[in-house]
Amino acid sequence: GDLARTAAVRKKKKPSMVVNALAIAFFSYIGVSIRIGLQEMSDYDSFPSFPAFYAECLGAVFLSFLVMHKLLVQTTAASFYLGIGTGMCGSLTTFSSWQDSAVKALVGWDSDESTFHNILTSFTFQFQGMTGVYISFILGIHLAKLSIFSNQAMLDKTGMSEDEFVQSNLCPKVKFQWAYHILGCVALNVICIPLLVINDKWEILFAFLFAPFGSLMRFGLSFLNLSYKPIPLGTLLANLLGSLLLACVTIVREHYDCFDNTSRPELYDGILSGLGLGFCGTLTTVSTFVAELNILPLKRAYIYGGGSIILAQVITFFTYGAYKWSYQAPWEPCT
């Protein structure tokens, strides 16, 4: 009887799918905005890595720090835990842009270096990305251990087990969480959209608008992780699909010369650029990817991690290659 009542209370207090979707959408706006800012700062010729490098590392730190405070955040406002983890951290990091940068380096997309140097640069991007995000993830764990609100600190303070702690905090401390997410989404759109339109920042505008849809699609695919235990199938599909779509978006932009021959080139190119930066960027994730690598058994982690990168490279390389070989056009990347 007590167990049944407890289960009923827990089920009642669990955030609905609508609240979760609102949380993911709101925090996606924040995540993609931070990533765009960091990429803009890093996007110059002498930058020694790919543009999304610091965004990937920061997202990994945030996610591991969040996971180490799961008990506090979930018992305070469960939808915020999902929103920050899936929405913000997932949108701040992007698997597709990382792999796209590596393939472009490999094929000499915008450089005249030798084949050897192209291969070396591509490998360097892969090595920097993988080691950078993993070290950042571990750093977040170490920083969290210094916190008096970490999972272990909360359990030590109360003398409870994790299950006992959750049972004693079934009622969320923050009420009407859906209202916070709606107000946040409305406020961000009301403030940001007019400013971006006035300043003709079409790429950033559409990246901002497309971001929640990519995050929500990734969230939907994540349920596949529960149906296939050996590897996180949902994350794998999201990362591969996003990498393919980003390559296709890049090809369309190049094929139409960045829409220079249209009446509104900045608008049409901004829509496609925003689709790549916003939707594809938030559909794919590195923070969840590295978190999964950290908990998988060693052999499966290497298979999953290596397989994800190799498959993404093959898909992206042959997508670009199919266009180049069939169209027989020189590489003239849009800027």
Side-chain angles (χ1 to χ4, degrees):
D2 291 339
L3 288 176
R5 283 193 296 272
T6 299
V9 171
R10 178 177 293 182
K11 184 176 181 181
K12 182 179 179 181
K13 299 301 180 182
K14 187 177 180 180
S16 69
M17 290 295 290
V18 174
V19 176
N20 286 336
L22 289 169
I24 291 170
F26 170 54
F27 283 101
S28 292
Y29 289 133
I30 298 174
V32 77
S33 299
I34 297 173
R35 170 159 56 85
I36 289 172
L38 290 172
Q39 287 189 211
E40 288 293 317
M41 290 191 297
S42 307
D43 193 10
Y44 57 92
D45 291 340
S46 59
F47 185 68
S49 188
F50 55 97
F53 176 74
Y54 282 116
E56 314 285 30
C57 294
L58 186 62
V61 172
F62 282 167
L63 183 63
S64 58
F65 191 85
L66 174 69
V67 170
M68 293 292 287
H69 290 80
K70 179 178 180 179
L71 291 178
L72 173 67
V73 180
Q74 277 202 327
T75 55
T76 302
S79 67
F80 279 75
Y81 181 81
L82 182 65
I84 297 171
T86 301
M88 190 186 80
C89 296
S91 300
L92 176 53
T93 63
T94 169
F95 187 87
S96 56
S97 294
W98 170 28
Q99 296 306 309
D100 193 71
S101 295
V103 169
K104 285 179 176 176
L106 182 63
V107 301
W109 178 267
D110 54 1
S111 73
D112 297 319
E113 300 293 341
S114 66
T115 301
F116 173 76
H117 286 150
N118 289 340
I119 294 173
L120 184 61
T121 302
S122 180
F123 177 78
T124 301
F125 285 177
Q126 296 289 10
F127 186 76
Q128 287 175 329
M130 196 67 255
T131 55
V133 296
Y134 195 80
I135 291 171
S136 299
F137 189 84
I138 300 301
L139 174 63
I141 293 175
H142 291 174
L143 292 174
K145 288 181 178 180
L146 301 175
S147 168
I148 60 173
F149 300 107
S150 67
N151 296 337
Q152 192 58 53
M154 298 290 282
L155 295 179
D156 291 342
K157 186 189 303 183
T158 58
M160 299 179 181
S161 66
E162 184 172 336
D163 286 340
E164 290 172 338
F165 186 89
V166 172
Q167 293 287 339
S168 64
N169 292 275
L170 287 174
C171 296
K173 298 178 178 63
V174 177
K175 308 296 183 182
F176 306 111
Q177 296 174 37
W178 58 270
Y180 289 94
H181 304 317
I182 290 178
L183 289 173
C185 289
V186 171
L188 285 174
N189 280 277
V190 168
I191 294 170
C192 295
I193 291 177
L195 289 174
L196 294 171
V197 171
I198 291 171
N199 292 282
D200 290 331
K201 299 292 185 181
W202 298 107
E203 178 184 13
I204 299 175
L205 170 64
F206 286 105
F208 189 77
L209 294 176
F210 286 135
F213 298 101
S215 294
L216 290 170
M217 185 172 179
R218 171 165 42 84
F219 175 62
L221 288 171
S222 70
F223 289 100
L224 293 175
N225 294 343
L226 304 174
S227 61
Y228 188 73
K229 299 297 183 182
I231 61 170
L233 183 60
T235 306
L236 176 63
L237 289 176
N239 283 341
L240 296 182
L241 180 59
S243 299
L244 173 62
L245 289 176
L246 180 58
C248 292
V249 166
T250 305
I251 286 171
V252 173
R253 290 184 65 215
E254 179 183 329
H255 184 75
Y256 288 99
D257 297 320
C258 305
F259 301 93
D260 284 342
N261 297 321
T262 63
S263 58
R264 295 293 302 277
E266 71 283 351
L267 175 60
Y268 299 132
D269 192 55
I271 292 173
L272 273 183
S273 299
L275 186 64
L277 189 60
F279 181 80
C280 299
T282 59
L283 173 58
T284 64
T285 178
V286 172
S287 55
T288 301
F289 174 65
V290 74
E292 292 163 346
L293 291 177
N294 192 56
I295 61 175
L296 282 172
L298 187 61
K299 184 176 180 180
R300 266 193 279 162
Y302 272 98
I303 293 172
Y304 171 56
S308 296
I309 291 173
I310 291 171
L311 286 172
Q313 288 287 285
V314 169
I315 289 171
T316 306
F317 180 83
F318 281 102
T319 302
Y320 285 142
Y323 168 73
K324 182 180 179 182
W325 297 326
S326 61
Y327 191 63
Q328 296 183 343
W331 294 116
E332 295 178 359
C334 291
T335 56

